[in-house]
């Protein structure tokens, strides 16, 4: 409750500053744009998506003209807002625009994987989750949680594609990494991965002809549930 109050106070402060800068210096100004992006972060936290869209309609064309970091930040903000509004087809086009500007990164590819998944395009989703893992191998200093999240996303997609063995391997690895990060403490992500493993095991058990292997899968699935 205290955090929400602080956020609303900060929102009011930034809105006032943004309006003053907009009137005095215009939107096409470094200071005004930087204040807007601070305000945008606050609006996203408070789920003010309509406010975001209203200003982004004017800000994004300016950012595109300016190029560089402003181009990336403007398009990212619009892509994220559209994603929050479940307008996935529009947001994926913008993610591709960012990819063209700055190349692939683990975070961008993971976002694209989730977006394609939400669109029901599981082949493209799998491709981008796999690309995210490759990017992660090349990026220094990333936490195990990043890899775990990508692996879980990939595993769920492989499951939907009917690739149960690949799905099981990915989700098992993700759970191991989530467990390492939890360091013995209760973790909803460890539990979520465990539930996914159980469901995949039951699907594999249905296909298994060896009764002993089938029973082993079913027993593990029950333990994990």
């Amino acid at each position: 409750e205290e955090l929400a109050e602080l956020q609303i106070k900060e929102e009011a402060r930034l809105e006032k500053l943004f309006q003053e800068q907009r009137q005095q210096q215009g939107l096409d100004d470094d200071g005004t744009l930087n204040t807007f992006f601070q305000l945008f972060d606050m609006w996203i936290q408070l789920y003010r998506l309509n406010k975001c869209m209203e200003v982004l309609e004017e800000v994004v064309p300016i950012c595109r003209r300016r190029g560089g970091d402003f181009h990336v930040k403007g398009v990212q903000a619009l892509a994220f807002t559209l994603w929050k509004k479940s307008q996935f087809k529009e947001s994926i086009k913008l993610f591709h625009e960012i990819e063209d500007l700055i190349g692939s990164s683990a975070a961008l590819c993971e976002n694209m994987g989730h977006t394609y998944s939400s669109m029901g395009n599981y082949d493209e989703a799998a491709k981008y989750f796999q690309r995210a893992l490759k990017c992660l191998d090349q990026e220094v200093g990333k936490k195990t949680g990043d890899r775990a999240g990508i692996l879980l996303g990939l595993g769920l997609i492989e499951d939907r594609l009917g690739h149960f063995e690949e799905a099981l391997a990915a989700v098992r690895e993700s759970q191991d990494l989530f467990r390492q990060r939890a360091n013995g403490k209760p973790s909803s992500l460890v539990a979520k991965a465990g539930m996914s493993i159980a469901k995949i095991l039951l699907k594999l058990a249905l296909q298994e002809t060896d009764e002993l292997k089938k029973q082993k899968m079913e027993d593990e699935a029950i333990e994990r549930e």
Side-chain angles (χ1 to χ4, degrees), residues 51-68:
K51 282 187 172 184
C52 292
M53 285 301 298
E54 189 180 333
V55 183
L56 282 167
E57 283 177 9
E58 295 180 72
V59 164
V60 172
I62 292 168
C63 289
R64 282 189 172 123
R65 283 200 305 272
R66 280 175 157 251

Side-chain angles (χ1 to χ4, degrees), residues 106 132-140 147:
L133 289 172
K134 285 178 185 173
C135 288
L136 203 61
D137 290 338
Q138 296 163 5
E139 294 172 13
V140 181
R147 185 174 186 83

Side-chain angles (χ1 to χ4, degrees), residues 51 84 103 123 127 166 172 211:
K51 282 187 172 184
K84 287 273 190 185
D123 288 318
K127 183 175 89 175
E166 294 88 340
R172 279 196 195 281
E211 284 301 320

Side-chain angles (χ1 to χ4, degrees), residues 83 92 95 99 103-118 124-136 139 142-154 156-157 174 178 181 189 192:
W83 197 92
I92 199 67
F95 284 134
E99 189 180 30
S104 295
S105 70
L108 177 60
C109 289
E110 184 180 4
N111 285 338
M112 293 173 83
H114 285 301
T115 307
Y116 275 120
S117 173
S118 297
E124 282 297 300
K127 183 175 89 175
Y128 273 95
F129 281 125
Q130 287 160 355
R131 191 175 291 178
L133 289 172
K134 285 178 185 173
C135 288
L136 203 61
E139 294 172 13
K142 289 289 180 180
K143 296 175 185 174
T144 55
D146 297 326
R147 185 174 186 83
I150 296 167
L151 281 164
L152 182 58
L154 176 61
L156 296 177
I157 291 300
S174 80
F178 283 134
R181 192 172 70 173
L189 289 168
K192 182 181 178 182

Side-chain angles (χ1 to χ4, degrees), residues 40 64 71-84 86-119 128 131:
F40 170 80
R64 282 189 172 123
H71 189 164
V72 176
K73 285 174 80 171
V75 174
Q76 273 180 335
L78 182 55
F80 193 56
T81 306
L82 288 166
W83 197 92
K84 287 273 190 185
S86 300
Q87 293 176 230
F88 302 118
K89 285 183 181 178
E90 291 86 349
S91 68
I92 199 67
K93 289 176 188 173
L94 296 169
F95 284 134
H96 278 293
E97 183 177 343
I98 297 163
E99 189 180 30
D100 290 340
L101 288 169
I102 60 172
S104 295
S105 70
L108 177 60
C109 289
E110 184 180 4
N111 285 338
M112 293 173 83
H114 285 301
T115 307
Y116 275 120
S117 173
S118 297
M119 291 166 65
Y128 273 95
R131 191 175 291 178

